[in-house]
Amino acid sequence: RLGRRAGIVSRLIADAIDLVVVVLLGFLALLVATAIRGLFTGDVEFVSAPQPARGTLAAILLIAYLGYGWGLEGRTLGKTAMGLRVVRDDGSDLSPVRGMARAVLYFLVLPGILWALVSRRNASLQDLVLRTSVVYDWGVTAARPDPALTEGSAPRPSR
């Protein structure tokens, strides 16, 4: 049902999709860097980040992806695919700052999502701290029918 809090399974599937997207985005960024370097040097060896920086760059990419999606419209590609949306507890949209804070908390306390298994309201630890909820929302609103086109009503005169 639309607006109902999402369960752990759909949330974990959405998170898995998002993880795949982030890995693909990272690979695409390295591919672009390789192409740019190849244009200037003629060297087509695949670019890779230095070992100490890999984890930091991966964390930045993940936090930016999640924070941008949640702060923009409450959805990432994974959430969209699963028909989910992150909202404040009152149902309003997250601000970009709250979306980014949620992403940072997810990165720092990844097992926090498992709290949704025992929470009456399916809330992760991050949801409790930031007063957010993940709800079912397919993002499709049924259009109201035009009264002029409903059965038994006369068509509107053209102007």
Side-chain angles (χ1 to χ4, degrees):
R1 258 187 294 176
L2 193 64
R4 188 180 55 144
R5 289 191 173 103
I8 188 74
V9 174
S10 55
R11 291 176 71 166
L12 286 174
I13 293 171
D15 291 344
I17 292 169
D18 286 332
L19 185 59
V20 170
V21 169
V22 169
V23 168
L24 291 174
L25 285 172
F27 180 75
L28 182 63
L30 291 174
L31 194 60
V32 168
T34 298
I36 291 171
R37 185 179 74 182
L39 285 173
F40 291 103
T41 66
D43 182 13
V44 290
E45 185 178 333
F46 195 73
V47 171
S48 65
Q51 187 65 29
R54 286 182 189 170
T56 303
L57 292 174
I60 290 169
L61 181 60
L62 178 67
I63 291 169
Y65 169 80
L66 293 175
Y68 180 77
W70 294 336
L72 184 65
E73 64 173 39
R75 302 173 196 272
T76 56
L77 289 174
K79 295 274 190 276
T80 300
M82 294 304 297
L84 304 177
R85 186 165 170 241
V86 182
V87 295
R88 293 176 58 157
D89 280 344
D90 65 4
S92 63
D93 291 335
L94 268 62
S95 67
V97 171
R98 191 172 290 219
M100 193 60 69
R102 191 171 194 274
V104 169
L105 279 177
Y106 257 86
F107 178 75
L108 294 176
V109 190
L110 186 62
I113 191 171
L114 298 177
W115 187 256
L117 286 169
V118 296
S119 169
R120 285 187 193 173
R121 58 182 212 107
N122 295 341
S124 67
L125 290 177
Q126 295 84 349
D127 291 328
L128 295 174
V129 169
L130 293 170
R131 289 178 274 204
T132 59
S133 297
V134 178
V135 297
Y136 290 102
D137 179 357
W138 288 100
V140 178
T141 307
R144 292 179 182 237
D146 185 349
L149 301 177
T150 57
E151 200 173 313
S153 63
R156 288 187 198 167
S158 57
R159 294 184 186 186

